[in-house]
Amino acid sequence: MSQPTIESILQEKRLFAPTPEFSQQATIGSLEAYQQLYEQAATDPAAFWAELADKELDWFQKWDQVLDWQPPFAKWFINGKINISYNCLDRHLTTWRKNKAALIWEGEPGDSRTLTYAQLHREVCQMANVLKDLGVVKGDRVGIYMPMIPEAAIAMLACARIGAPHSVVFGGFSAEALKARLLDAEAKVVITADGGFRKDKIVPLKPAVDEALKDNAVPSVQKVLVVQRTEQEIEMVSDRDVWWHELQPNASANCPAEPMDSEDMLFILYTSGTTGQPKGVVHTTGGYNLYTHVTCKWTFDLKETDVYWCTADVGWITGHSYIVYGPLSNGATSLMYEGAPRASNPGCFWDVVEKYGVTIFYTAPTAIRAFIKMGDQHPNSRDLSSLRILGTVGEPINPEAWIWYHKTIGNETCPIVDTWWQTETGGFMLTPLPGATPTKPGSATLPFPGILADIVDLEGNPVAANEGGYLVVKHPWPSMMRTVYKNDERFRNTYWEHIPPKDGEYLYFAGDGARKDEDGYFWVMGRVDDVMNISGHRLGTMEVESALVSHPAVAEAAVVSRPHEVKGEDVYAFVTLEGTHASSDELKAELKQHVVSEIGAIARPGEIRFTDALPKTRSGKIIRRFLRNLAAGEELVGDISTMEDLTVLDKLREG
Ligand code: WTA
């Protein structure tokens, strides 16, 4: 199965309207209702968001100005005082939701736990008090490196409660990657677990923390709080490491939520860009709370009885916005699953759907393609009739996978919401509303109300229907990233300088290529920069190149991605070796492993190709375009006249 091509997309004419029964019960139940909201929001965005902020959230103190926009720096709800942990927990305790399931958790080995809002609140307060005892004060950054267990969400909410911005690092990242992120964030405390279960193995998390902190490599870190999960032997460093299960019983469950300024930093989340160093995307409190709340509510048409399951990991933005903050702010029941579909248990996801009567299921195209490969017998032998809405995120979905999802999982009745957004945007930007928007397989359809998205050329001019261009957003929205942590300059030149302001209006450059069809539907094609999308995970080519050249045998490396049947894209590396090193299969395996230990398993190159030289321009720049063609086994496209040495290409083609 391949990625969507321009041709296949232009040929895609199928339209799937929500059923009348679905629309009737939906909060936003017709295209006209959506259009009305959209118009209203576009005419006066500030008034639109202010009304929702007032209606949907609890504030300790109201704002006195909705938006302060000094491009490219936005502030929302100026002088408003709010706490997202309060909005996710405390405010539900005075209602019947007090004893409603907030988190339903299923562990990979089959253990499970349900936490009501009252129980979750209690544990969050206890962890917040433990963090205070460990010396964390408002403004201190806390690293979180956890498996998918309730304590991951508890840790995030505990940090938010006391105003300590968290920086969650995906548990699949290596010790090296963790170290770089902890260093940049200058974290004071790290919350981790002994390990986690993934694909029938134990992921050794605490040992990776030890390795990252070895020889005082991250001097800011004073304490490590360890949750017991797998019970394997680990080392506890005295004076630094403490066990959660030893401290929790004596921790007070009384911890009032700290009134935060609307613009106080809520978290940093590192994401890949075009340089070797990941960027710390900064999100703040009020606008992020509002936007994740409203998008979650409308896009998933949340009902009190829903069992909502987002299969992402809390280490990514999807886990932040749509496992923890969005659903809990709405008082919904959010399901967390520790495991991944695996050969030993190919039906595990469908078992979870059946066991808990999941009603909303949100996953990534790469997972859908993996399910297709595992065979229809697995979903077909489970009762999936509880499902009412399906969602996808992370990469373009190929129409075949969409149709399979619609038929085999959705019984041809569940609307599919294909949500386009980014770590930087905080929440959904392009998405159908399930009771309102007719869907087209492969299209993220229309912008969310309040989002002024467009497709433009490099001068900022809108392009004609069905013409390719750059996806941009015109007006600030509440959950947009505020800056790159400690690096305003990088924020400015990554997102605001590729395309100049048009008619005085600043354009947020998303880094994606896209087109809009004659109905105004958006079709996202993928990244236009040196960012790859491996199984829906963002990875910079430069990050992998830096990892490769840090190996003593490597002189130079150029990394591209090539299409992959299940992962969407796969890492393909071209490597030239230092003088005395000879190419061999052993060295190939060693280099792949080296990348895994520098970054993590998601970055493991599918293929490494040794070469004597790389194709370069006369000014010495590697011409990746040709390498991408070579990796995909395609004809070379583009101008070769700028090349320094034409024989390089011939050699690569022969090899
Ligand atoms: C890609 C993930 C097509 C896109 C939430 C974007 C998508 C990058 C979609 C952000 C989608 C995400 N259709 N492409 N529905 N959703 N993308 O920061 O290239 O991990 O720029 O955020 O994923 O990845 P990130």
Side-chain angles (χ1 to χ4, degrees):
M1 213 163 292
S2 56
Q3 285 294 290
T5 60
I6 293 173
E7 291 70 33
S8 74
I9 279 171
L10 287 177
Q11 282 159 15
E12 185 56 70
K13 296 280 182 237
R14 287 171 286 193
L15 192 70
F16 294 81
T19 62
E21 300 79 58
F22 190 97
S23 293
Q24 241 153 40
Q25 60 78 58
T27 310
I28 298 158
S30 68
L31 197 56
E32 294 68 43
Y34 156 79
Q35 281 160 343
Q36 212 175 348
L37 274 172
Y38 191 84
E39 278 311 310
Q40 187 198 335
T43 318
D44 191 348
F48 176 79
W49 291 117
E51 192 186 320
L52 285 164
D54 198 30
K55 191 169 128 216
E56 299 289 339
L57 301 182
D58 285 21
W59 296 81
F60 300 128
Q61 181 187 303
K62 282 278 151 69
W63 56 91
D64 41 47
Q65 185 188 340
V66 181
L67 171 64
D68 175 25
W69 178 221
Q70 319 255 356
F73 301 101
K75 291 188 178 133
W76 283 87
F77 307 111
I78 320 300
N79 291 328
K81 299 278 181 273
I82 188 168
N83 187 298
I84 196 168
S85 166
Y86 182 94
N87 274 295
C88 288
L89 301 167
D90 307 51
R91 64 171 174 158
H92 305 311
L93 302 187
T94 53
T95 73
W96 70 271
R97 285 186 189 139
K98 181 176 177 188
N99 298 317
K100 174 179 175 175
L103 287 180
I104 294 178
W105 171 79
E106 177 83 5
E108 194 184 84
D111 46 345
S112 60
R113 246 179 109 189
T114 297
L115 286 142
T116 64
Y117 274 95
Q119 289 170 319
L120 183 61
H121 173 259
R122 185 182 165 82
E123 297 225 6
V124 168
C125 287
Q126 287 181 313
M127 198 179 283
N129 279 326
V130 165
L131 290 174
K132 282 190 197 165
D133 287 345
L134 294 178
V136 178
V137 298
K138 187 171 174 172
D140 285 341
R141 276 82 53 216
V142 173
I144 298 179
Y145 186 64
M146 289 283 261
M148 280 293 286
I149 56 176
E151 285 77 7
I154 292 168
M156 291 164 74
L157 291 161
C159 289
R161 195 161 188 88
I162 59 174
H166 53 70
S167 171
V168 184
V169 179
F170 171 55
F173 276 127
S174 67
E176 274 303 312
L178 173 65
K179 178 166 90 184
R181 286 159 177 77
L182 294 175
L183 268 172
D184 190 73
E186 297 165 283
K188 191 174 197 177
V189 165
V190 179
I191 308 175
T192 188
D194 48 358
F197 295 104
R198 192 157 179 90
K199 299 202 175 178
D200 306 315
K201 290 199 199 96
I202 286 179
V203 184
L205 294 167
K206 176 62 167 56
V209 173
D210 293 341
E211 166 105 27
L213 301 183
K214 202 167 60 190
D215 304 326
N216 201 25
V218 189
S220 59
V221 173
Q222 296 172 6
K223 296 282 177 190
V224 178
L225 177 61
V226 188
V227 177
Q228 193 167 45
R229 166 68 184 132
T230 51
E231 297 181 27
Q232 90 271 26
E233 239 354 91
I234 56 161
E235 207 182 311
M236 293 293 277
V237 176
S238 63
D239 297 336
R240 189 194 73 186
D241 302 348
V242 291
W243 283 110
W244 165 238
H245 66 269
E246 288 178 3
L247 299 178
Q248 187 189 8
N250 296 320
S252 157
N254 179 21
C255 178
E258 181 72 25
M260 302 300 291
D261 189 273
S262 177
E263 280 299 325
D264 276 339
M265 179 159 64
L266 174 63
F267 64 84
I268 309 170
L269 184 57
Y270 288 85
T271 191
S272 295
T274 50
T275 73
Q277 183 67 23
K279 323 178 260 249
V281 170
V282 170
H283 281 288
T284 57
T285 307
Y288 176 85
N289 192 355
L290 176 67
Y291 197 77
T292 52
H293 177 101
V294 176
T295 48
C296 194
K297 180 172 176 163
W298 291 353
T299 303
F300 293 121
D301 188 45
L302 284 180
K303 303 279 189 276
E304 288 295 357
T305 47
D306 275 319
V307 178
Y308 161 86
W309 180 18
C310 165
T311 70
D313 190 283
V314 289
W316 307 111
I317 190 71
T318 309
H320 284 58
S321 301
Y322 299 109
I323 293 177
V324 180
Y325 293 118
L328 298 180
S329 178
N330 279 287
T333 297
S334 182
L335 191 145
M336 259 177 115
Y337 179 50
E338 185 186 33
R342 50 207 186 274
S344 65
N345 194 350
C348 62
F349 270 36
W350 316 122
D351 284 336
V352 171
V353 170
E354 184 175 286
K355 178 172 175 187
Y356 295 103
V358 171
T359 57
I360 304 170
F361 178 70
Y362 184 41
T363 195
T366 188
I368 297 169
R369 291 189 296 263
F371 297 141
I372 296 175
K373 272 205 127 167
M374 287 173 184
D376 290 7
Q377 66 276 23
H378 304 296
N380 287 348
S381 57
R382 271 73 170 185
D383 179 6
L384 306 182
S385 61
S386 56
L387 290 170
R388 60 181 207 96
I389 296 175
L390 304 175
T392 99
V393 60
E395 45 179 321
I397 183 164
N398 42 314
E400 303 101 295
W402 195 102
I403 294 291
W404 181 88
Y405 200 28
H406 171 69
K407 288 194 173 145
T408 312
I409 307 304
N411 193 28
E412 301 189 30
T413 51
C414 300
I416 295 180
V417 290
D418 176 352
T419 59
W420 175 86
W421 59 296
Q422 308 178 296
T423 306
E424 292 87 339
T425 69
F428 304 149
M429 302 297 277
L430 303 175
T431 177
L433 300 181
T437 319
T439 51
K440 303 184 188 189
S443 170
T445 73
L446 302 167
F448 197 82
I451 300 305
L452 306 180
D454 207 355
I455 313 287
V456 301
D457 63 19
L458 272 182
E459 275 78 55
N461 304 304
V463 301
N466 286 320
E467 228 168 78
Y470 302 94
L471 182 45
V472 295
V473 184
K474 278 185 196 156
H475 188 274
W477 62 100
S479 67
M480 66 194 272
M481 74 182 284
R482 296 304 192 255
T483 189
V484 172
Y485 188 55
K486 298 189 296 192
N487 200 341
D488 286 348
E489 210 29 56
R490 193 167 173 197
F491 174 59
R492 196 190 287 277
N493 59 43
T494 308
Y495 304 102
W496 305 95
E497 283 180 352
H498 288 279
I499 297 177
K502 184 75 189 157
D503 306 325
E505 199 162 29
Y506 273 68
L507 302 174
Y508 168 79
F509 174 76
D512 278 317
R515 57 187 58 235
K516 222 171 21 167
D517 68 18
E518 53 286 346
D519 299 325
Y521 275 47
F522 286 77
W523 300 82
V524 178
M525 309 298 299
R527 304 291 306 191
V528 292
D529 52 9
D530 292 327
V531 172
M532 301 175 285
N533 192 326
I534 314 294
S535 299
H537 300 317
R538 255 167 91 164
L539 191 63
T541 51
M542 286 273 284
E543 265 173 280
V544 184
E545 286 165 8
S546 312
L548 282 165
V549 298
S550 73
H551 188 284
V554 176
E556 227 181 354
V559 166
V560 296
S561 69
R562 64 166 170 187
H564 185 277
E565 207 187 354
V566 173
K567 295 155 85 172
E569 291 175 33
D570 194 18
V571 178
Y572 196 109
F574 294 84
V575 165
T576 65
L577 294 174
E578 285 288 353
T580 54
H581 294 273
S583 59
S584 68
D585 284 345
E586 291 72 43
L587 183 58
K588 230 183 230 188
E590 186 179 320
L591 292 180
K592 288 184 183 177
Q593 198 44 44
H594 181 69
V595 173
V596 172
S597 57
E598 289 291 307
I599 304 173
I602 53 165
R604 181 193 297 276
E607 183 59 55
I608 289 181
R609 198 132 152 228
F610 295 116
T611 169
D612 294 337
L614 293 166
K616 288 186 187 164
T617 63
R618 289 195 194 99
S619 58
K621 273 189 75 174
I622 293 169
I623 310 175
R624 271 176 222 279
R625 185 163 30 90
F626 292 152
L627 294 176
R628 270 195 290 270
N629 294 148
L630 283 164
E634 300 162 352
E635 286 297 305
L636 300 190
V637 279
D639 182 12
I640 56 167
S641 65
T642 55
M643 268 197 67
E644 186 198 19
D645 175 3
L646 287 170
T647 61
V648 171
L649 277 185
D650 293 333
K651 281 198 201 136
L652 274 167
R653 263 188 294 215
E654 283 160 21

